[in-house]
Amino acid sequence: MANVTLKTKAMKRAGNLYENVCSLDNLNLADSRARKGKMNQPAIKKHDENREDNINALHCMLINKSYKTSAYNVFKIKDPKERDIYRLPYYPDRIVHHAIMNVLENIFVSTFTADTYSCIKGKGVHAAVESVKRSLKNVDNTVYCMQLDAKKFYPSIDHDILKTLLRKKIKDNDLLWLLDEIIDSADGLPIGNYLSQYLANFYLTYFDHWIKEQKRVKHYFRYADDLIILSADKTELHVLLSEIKEYMSNRLNLTIKDNYQIFPVRARGIDFVGYRFFHTHTLVRKRIKRKFARMMANKTRNRASVASYLGWLTHADCRHLTKKLLRERF
């Protein structure tokens, strides 16, 4: 990956990114990354029966621009709300998505502000948690919270707008052809595509810069489309809300949900990324606490899952809860 990354960084304005995406070295790297933790999947075992021939065929498809996104397998999940999940075949599609991201990840990340946390290496939920906690130490300037998100964010992403934004950053027409082909393979951005999470982040990145650099908002946090802004002035937040609605509607063709909230932090805390934040302490969201308790009651519980939950609890002020669950179940 080091060689691919360095070459990409040096050439990102040179217009030959697609050459890097299509290279056999990159496709083999993408294959190794796409299968990580999934080695027993039947689709991967089938691919491995003719792995070298498949990679060579994919290389030719990309060079000749004959690649087309395969049909999606669409299914629903309810966790916690019902969503359509789109799944592509391992070969060739998931390998292609990883091949693109091997080359584009650093370019995408270079556009993100420090205030976005989802699907970024070195960021994630717990980086967001620590940032919110740091901001809340400044009690006088974080009296009020505005919390909002976009209505049906992934399905509502406008393809023409996304393509226009991509052309601000990428000048390689061949790579833009491939990205366009994948973008147009489904309405909005399909949840479940490896590439979708980065494109969704990128879709809001110029909004992030507007918030930080033009509106001069100091205490701002975004995880996917879930946004929180902290301020000392409630009226200021209401004015900003109107401006955000206008920006989202006019520039991104997105609608802010009607359940947006502006409230004093002290009254009930901020429910964000699985935690509830107060100026004096941080709690785990009740739903996560209940899930952990139910899992601990199961005699066949998975030790890795227990470790994961315990890690989650370390970022909150719940030492008593942790001791209670461990004492009762072990």
Side-chain angles (χ1 to χ4, degrees):
M1 177 57 183
N3 291 337
V4 173
T5 301
L6 290 172
K7 193 175 181 182
T8 299
K9 198 167 184 182
M11 292 183 173
K12 68 179 181 178
R13 293 293 182 184
N16 58 352
L17 297 173
Y18 192 65
E19 180 183 326
N20 286 347
V21 172
C22 298
S23 75
L24 286 170
D25 284 346
N26 188 47
L27 293 177
N28 279 299
L29 176 63
D31 186 15
S32 67
R33 290 187 165 179
R35 68 177 59 216
K36 191 174 180 180
K38 305 168 187 174
M39 292 295 292
N40 292 323
Q41 288 187 359
I44 295 176
K45 291 181 178 179
K46 182 178 179 181
H47 163 62
D48 283 345
E49 291 173 5
N50 297 287
R51 184 176 183 275
E52 186 174 350
D53 288 344
N54 286 344
I55 295 297
N56 286 329
L58 178 54
H59 173 68
C60 291
M61 276 190 272
L62 292 172
I63 292 294
N64 298 330
K65 292 188 179 177
S66 60
Y67 169 80
K68 284 191 69 68
T69 299
S70 304
Y72 286 95
N73 172 29
V74 184
F75 58 97
K76 293 186 182 295
I77 64 167
K78 295 181 179 180
D79 187 23
K81 60 184 178 182
E82 185 173 279
R83 295 183 296 172
D84 286 333
I85 303 297
Y86 291 70
R87 179 178 292 160
L88 284 169
Y90 178 79
Y91 175 85
D93 304 276
R94 281 188 265 167
I95 295 173
V96 168
H97 286 213
H98 277 266
I100 292 169
M101 287 312 305
N102 286 347
V103 173
L104 280 191
E105 182 175 6
N106 282 359
I107 293 174
F108 278 150
V109 171
S110 73
T111 70
F112 300 155
T113 70
D115 310 283
T116 183
Y117 294 90
S118 65
C119 307
I120 302 172
K121 289 176 184 175
K123 290 291 196 75
V125 167
H126 294 127
V129 170
E130 297 307 315
S131 293
V132 174
K133 287 161 72 172
R134 281 195 299 272
S135 282
L136 288 172
K137 290 179 181 178
N138 187 343
V139 177
D140 291 342
N141 289 322
T142 58
V143 176
Y144 295 98
C145 175
M146 174 165 65
Q147 186 160 19
L148 52 88
D149 61 340
K151 185 177 181 180
K152 295 183 178 179
F153 175 52
Y154 274 77
S156 298
I157 287 177
D158 186 298
H159 288 188
D160 290 336
I161 294 173
L162 176 57
K163 291 175 185 178
T164 299
L165 293 174
L166 286 168
R167 281 156 174 79
K168 283 185 174 185
K169 194 66 182 174
I170 299 168
K171 292 187 177 181
D172 186 313
N173 288 329
D174 292 329
L175 180 54
L176 288 168
W177 163 80
L178 179 58
L179 291 171
D180 288 352
E181 201 287 326
I182 294 169
I183 289 166
D184 289 335
S185 67
D187 293 336
L189 282 179
I191 299 172
N193 272 2
Y194 177 57
L195 190 56
S196 289
Q197 57 194 8
Y198 289 91
L199 290 175
N201 253 345
F202 183 75
Y203 195 72
L204 291 178
T205 195
Y206 293 101
F207 167 78
D208 296 334
H209 284 280
W210 174 76
I211 283 283
K212 296 297 293 184
E213 294 155 18
Q214 294 189 40
K215 305 315 297 180
R216 303 287 184 180
V217 174
K218 182 177 181 181
H219 303 292
Y220 168 70
F221 311 89
R222 177 170 71 80
Y223 195 92
D225 66 315
D226 193 359
L227 318 177
I228 63 170
I229 296 173
L230 306 176
S231 174
D233 190 331
K234 187 176 182 180
T235 302
E236 182 181 277
L237 288 178
H238 279 285
V239 171
L240 182 59
L241 173 62
S242 296
E243 294 176 318
I244 288 173
K245 285 182 176 181
E246 183 178 0
Y247 186 108
M248 290 283 192
S249 177
N250 294 343
R251 301 197 197 184
L252 297 175
N253 199 22
L254 294 175
T255 302
I256 297 301
K257 284 184 185 175
D258 291 335
N259 65 351
Y260 65 83
Q261 301 172 70
I262 296 176
F263 57 92
V265 174
R266 183 174 59 183
R268 62 179 184 219
I270 305 163
D271 189 340
F272 183 59
V273 295
Y275 294 84
R276 286 180 65 213
F277 299 89
F278 297 85
H279 287 110
T280 55
H281 60 287
T282 303
L283 303 176
V284 174
R285 186 181 287 164
K286 287 182 180 179
R287 182 169 61 87
I288 292 173
K289 187 165 60 176
R290 286 197 296 268
K291 275 182 155 183
F292 189 20
R294 283 197 298 269
M295 186 192 67
M296 294 299 286
N298 187 341
K299 292 181 179 179
T300 59
R301 57 187 170 270
N302 183 288
R303 287 190 174 272
S305 297
V306 173
S308 176
Y309 274 105
L310 288 174
W312 195 275
L313 295 180
T314 61
H315 293 269
D317 300 298
C318 48
R319 191 177 304 169
H320 175 72
L321 170 66
T322 304
K323 286 182 177 179
K324 180 181 178 182
L325 288 171
L326 292 178
R327 185 171 57 247
E328 289 179 356
R329 306 302 176 190
F330 283 110

